[in-house]
Amino acid sequence: MENQTTISIDNIKSSKQKRISKKKDARQLSIFIKGFILPLIIIAIWELAGKYELISATLLPRPSAIFTTFIELAASGELTGHLEISLWRALGGFALGGGLGLLIGLLVGFNQNMEQTIDPTLQMLRTIPTLAVIPLFILWFGFGEASKILLIAKGAFFPLYVNTFLGIRGVDSKLFAVAKVLQFSKWKQITLLILPAALPNILLGLRLSMGTAWLALVAAELMGSSEGVGYMIMDARQFSQTTVVFVGIIIFAVFGKLSDSLVKLFERKLLRWQDNYQG
């Protein structure tokens, strides 16, 4: 009798978990579909406007023409080659700049002397536009890959640095009073208190840093490059190949969105403890 009761309770729990899981999956599917509604409406209006010649095909080609060009470039292998080069540049620049931004953000956030020594200079450098330093990077590092990766690294550095620093300094001081009562060591305060509390800001910095890396990639590929999606766009512009320009722009948009979604996935996994307003 007791075993039957236990089995019955387990079955009820299992069915309840299945219902919750189904509701969660349905909600995620609904959110995914909603995200496509506006783009599909815009594409439909755009296609119809091009079909009935309400807009110039040279200035704004139809989505169907852009898709055809994408298939042709992909089939020829040209697009794959440019995309591979751009991905390596973006990832290399982001790893270098983002890694340094995170490291220095942690050092400055934890140490007031480091803040007073380093932060004023970094804040001054942060305000210099990326395009303004391109001539210097060409003079210092030439037209090779080093100058391009370093330019992307410059763009990726500051969002992660600033948000890491602000995240650490924004930890509620009341939490330290609790840590004192619990007799936390300095290491426990850092790992169990400061870093988890600063994690939302750090992940936000990661998202902004990845986005900036993609923006800096375009500027980097203007520096005498003969390969990459940015070069493909500039080359197509010279020959008025608007469809190729749109293919390049859409590629940047898609990969930017994918990288942002990847970080958002980490946010959902790592910040489950947060109780946020859902709208």
Side-chain angles (χ1 to χ4, degrees):
M1 185 71 177
E2 193 173 313
N3 288 338
Q4 289 178 348
T5 306
T6 305
I7 292 168
S8 177
I9 291 169
D10 289 340
N11 287 336
I12 292 168
K13 284 182 179 178
S14 177
S15 61
K16 187 178 179 180
Q17 285 176 348
K18 284 180 181 178
R19 284 198 303 271
I20 292 169
S21 178
K22 283 180 181 179
K23 284 181 180 179
K24 191 176 179 181
D25 291 342
R27 185 172 176 274
Q28 287 178 344
L29 180 62
S30 174
I31 292 169
F32 182 77
I33 291 170
K34 283 178 183 177
F36 277 95
I37 291 173
L38 183 59
L40 288 174
I41 291 170
I42 292 171
I43 289 169
I45 294 170
W46 182 359
E47 180 70 28
L48 289 171
K51 184 178 180 181
Y52 293 105
E53 298 182 351
L54 298 175
I55 52 177
S56 169
T58 305
L59 297 177
L60 198 64
R62 290 160 56 183
S64 56
I66 295 168
F67 181 73
T68 303
T69 302
F70 171 79
I71 296 297
E72 289 172 356
L73 289 170
S76 68
E78 182 183 350
L79 183 62
T80 308
H82 287 307
L83 184 56
E84 186 178 347
I85 293 292
S86 290
L87 280 173
W88 278 114
R89 285 171 180 164
L91 289 173
F94 169 73
L96 178 60
L100 284 173
L102 179 63
L103 178 63
I104 297 175
L106 290 170
L107 291 173
V108 172
F110 284 122
N111 192 309
Q112 198 171 44
N113 289 327
M114 291 282 286
E115 178 193 356
Q116 293 166 355
T117 306
I118 297 174
D119 188 63
T121 304
L122 291 178
Q123 293 299 337
M124 183 174 63
L125 293 173
R126 185 171 66 89
T127 60
I128 299 173
T130 301
L131 291 175
V133 299
I134 287 179
L136 281 177
F137 275 58
I138 292 173
L139 285 171
W140 291 343
F141 308 110
F143 289 101
E145 291 300 308
S147 59
K148 295 173 179 60
I149 290 172
L150 288 171
L151 193 69
I152 296 166
K154 177 200 173 293
F157 173 85
F158 290 104
L160 201 45
Y161 162 73
V162 171
N163 280 278
T164 301
F165 167 64
L166 292 177
I168 292 169
R169 291 303 174 88
V171 177
D172 192 342
S173 60
K174 292 176 184 175
L175 295 175
F176 290 98
V178 175
K180 193 174 181 180
V181 171
L182 295 173
Q183 296 182 337
F184 276 11
S185 65
K186 189 69 177 177
W187 178 248
K188 276 191 173 182
Q189 284 185 29
I190 291 171
T191 55
L192 301 179
L193 174 66
I194 300 173
L195 289 180
L199 194 58
N201 273 71
I202 294 172
L203 290 173
L204 173 62
L206 186 64
R207 288 177 66 182
L208 294 173
S209 182
M210 291 185 82
T212 309
W214 283 108
L215 294 174
L217 174 64
V218 180
E221 291 185 337
L222 300 179
M223 292 169 28
S225 180
S226 59
E227 294 175 299
V229 178
Y231 163 76
M232 184 183 77
I233 290 172
M234 293 304 297
D235 187 57
R237 180 188 64 81
Q238 291 179 355
F239 296 99
S240 299
Q241 296 174 326
T242 320
T243 52
V244 178
V245 173
F246 270 97
V247 168
I249 291 169
I250 290 167
I251 285 171
F252 279 128
V254 169
F255 275 90
K257 175 59 181 171
L258 287 174
S259 60
D260 186 70
S261 298
L262 182 64
V263 180
K264 284 178 77 175
L265 180 64
F266 278 116
E267 281 184 351
R268 284 196 292 271
K269 298 286 186 185
L270 297 173
L271 303 179
R272 285 179 178 174
W273 49 269
Q274 275 194 322
D275 185 17
N276 291 337
Y277 173 64
Q278 298 296 321

